[in-house]
Amino acid sequence: MFETYKELVESINVSDTEKESLYAALATHGHVCGGMALGFACGLFAMKALDISKERDLGTRIIANSGYNHIASCFVDGLQFSTGCTFGKRLIEKNPIGKWSFLIMHIKTQKALKVKVKPEIIKSALGSSYVKDYRSKGINASSIPTSVSYALFRKVFELYNNNLLIDAQGPFDYPSKEEAITFNYEICQVCSDAVAQNYIKIEDGKKVCIECAHFVR
């Protein structure tokens, strides 16, 4: 899959380390689009503004203001891959208000940044051939000619590298703390599933999982 996107990624003016993340993003995301590129570029910007590296543990969090049933969802995939703030690690969550913006917080430095794509960029992207001639007519993103999708993808990074893509507020102080993690588990006394200890409920003197809690007699 990486070979499929080799020419595209090599044409993007970012560091070699950032290219590795971009390869992974494209392979996982499944298609080339401006939305994912926007999120990826915004994530790179945010990390540089906060002077932090891609998150490998649990020290950075993002609240993404995208929603559902519109073309900002791809934006969040890009954010995850450039910052390392993934849903699985619970380092990114959605505040579904339909915007191409986010708040990023770094726990160690107690600093945060608000980032948004400039409105004129969104207007231009939604008026592009990619959207008007293909996506808005029901054509899947993966079926759009590469001559169209690759051009839009490259354009995003061109704007990013010329400081024309993003507006930001901060960095500013943002007190936050790392949440405790449990390494313990219990066995539900109804269904016998293994359950993280902090999700166990006590009902009628039994340790039960959330799914079984209302069925304890």
Side-chain angles (χ1 to χ4, degrees):
M1 181 61 77
F2 288 158
E3 193 66 29
T4 303
Y5 300 118
K6 183 175 182 179
E7 180 183 352
L8 175 60
V9 173
E10 290 304 319
S11 71
I12 303 300
N13 184 20
V14 295
S15 72
D16 288 344
T17 300
E18 291 163 351
K19 284 180 181 179
E20 289 180 3
S21 294
L22 191 53
Y23 274 123
L26 285 165
T28 304
H29 189 59
H31 63 252
V32 176
C33 68
M36 195 276 279
L38 284 171
F40 193 95
C42 285
L44 294 182
F45 173 90
M47 290 191 297
K48 290 173 182 176
L50 290 173
D51 193 25
I52 59 176
S53 301
K54 184 174 181 178
E55 184 57 56
R56 299 176 65 184
D57 296 302
L58 303 172
T60 310
R61 291 197 175 91
I62 288 176
I63 299 175
N65 295 321
S66 63
Y68 305 95
N69 302 321
H70 66 99
I71 62 171
S73 297
C74 297
F75 180 84
V76 180
D77 271 3
L79 268 182
Q80 290 186 90
F81 276 92
S82 60
T83 64
C85 294
T86 60
F87 280 106
K89 290 186 289 186
R90 202 187 167 197
L91 297 182
I92 188 169
E93 61 182 273
K94 279 191 175 185
N95 174 37
I97 58 175
K99 294 185 178 183
W100 288 262
S101 65
F102 61 95
L103 171 71
I104 181 169
M105 302 151 280
H106 190 243
I107 294 170
K108 184 177 180 179
T109 60
Q110 300 284 287
K111 295 290 184 182
L113 186 77
K114 289 183 178 180
V115 179
K116 71 175 182 180
V117 180
K118 292 181 177 181
E120 58 266 30
I121 301 300
I122 299 300
K123 180 180 179 180
S124 177
L126 296 182
S128 68
S129 174
Y130 182 96
V131 175
K132 289 196 305 180
D133 300 330
Y134 296 94
R135 290 297 290 122
S136 65
K137 294 181 179 179
I139 296 173
N140 288 332
S142 60
S143 298
I144 295 174
T146 57
S147 59
V148 176
S149 59
Y150 282 30
L152 182 60
F153 196 87
R154 290 189 178 105
K155 182 65 176 179
V156 169
F157 285 96
E158 179 185 330
L159 292 167
Y160 164 70
N161 285 315
N162 285 287
N163 300 314
L164 298 173
L165 187 70
I166 296 162
D167 280 332
Q169 295 177 321
F172 50 84
D173 293 337
Y174 196 94
S176 56
K177 63 181 180 179
E178 191 168 346
E179 295 180 1
I181 297 174
T182 182
F183 296 93
N184 299 318
Y185 75 99
E186 301 281 355
I187 298 297
C188 174
Q189 291 180 270
V190 174
C191 69
S192 299
D193 282 351
V195 186
Q197 192 176 60
N198 54 343
Y199 278 85
I200 281 288
K201 305 294 180 182
I202 304 297
E203 288 199 2
D204 294 342
K206 292 184 176 181
K207 295 180 179 179
V208 298
C209 69
I210 291 173
E211 288 182 304
C212 293
H214 300 302
F215 299 97
V216 175
R217 295 292 182 264

